[in-house]
Amino acid sequence: MIPSGMQEIGVIILYCALTWVAFTLALRLPDNLRRWKEAMLGGMLTLVLASVLSMLASFAAEQLQTGLAMNLSFQLAGILLCAMAVSRVVQMLSWPRTWLVGLLSLLFYSLVGVLIGWGIVFFA
């Protein structure tokens, strides 16, 4: 029998791995030079920055005593800004491609959240 704490760690590791792959794909798809190393490094950097920023956003939403919509908007704005910043620094993409990276990151981040939520509901 697996303790519930180990199951939670497994879900967190799965979430991090899927989010890293999603951010890597979001950085790789608009890149016309098809640089995998930079996309993988950028995906990891985006994951770390987005995790810290989402934690800070949840603390801010708690202190401001706002609802779920405000917390979600803080988190999605943070994902967009982190992905765009990493795209500009790591890959030096043009502005239209940078915006595409940001939008793809939002889309893929949302899909990973839905997949993990769906998996927890149906397989727990």
Side-chain angles (χ1 to χ4, degrees):
M1 184 165 144
I2 299 174
S4 64
M6 293 303 289
Q7 291 173 351
E8 291 170 2
I9 290 173
V11 170
I12 291 171
I13 290 173
L14 178 65
Y15 173 75
C16 288
L18 287 176
T19 306
W20 176 54
V21 168
F23 287 147
T24 299
L25 287 176
L27 285 163
R28 168 74 168 74
L29 291 176
D31 188 11
N32 56 349
L33 298 177
R34 306 289 186 236
R35 297 173 286 195
W36 275 106
K37 288 180 188 176
E38 286 86 356
M40 289 172 34
L41 176 68
M44 183 61 70
L45 185 59
T46 305
L47 175 63
V48 169
L49 288 174
S51 298
V52 170
L53 201 62
S54 68
M55 181 183 64
L56 291 174
S58 64
F59 284 140
E62 181 181 339
Q63 290 299 317
L64 295 172
Q65 297 178 349
T66 58
L68 182 64
M70 182 65 81
N71 191 1
L72 183 65
S73 65
F74 281 162
Q75 196 166 9
L76 292 180
I79 297 295
L80 179 69
L81 293 175
C82 287
M84 289 178 66
V86 167
S87 156
R88 293 295 292 175
V89 170
V90 173
Q91 293 178 314
M92 292 184 269
L93 297 177
S94 65
W95 278 108
R97 290 179 192 265
T98 299
W99 278 101
L100 185 59
V101 166
L103 295 175
L104 284 174
S105 294
L106 283 177
L107 176 69
F108 292 160
Y109 181 76
S110 300
L111 286 175
V112 166
V114 167
L115 284 174
I116 292 290
W118 179 78
I120 288 173
V121 168
F122 288 111
F123 294 114

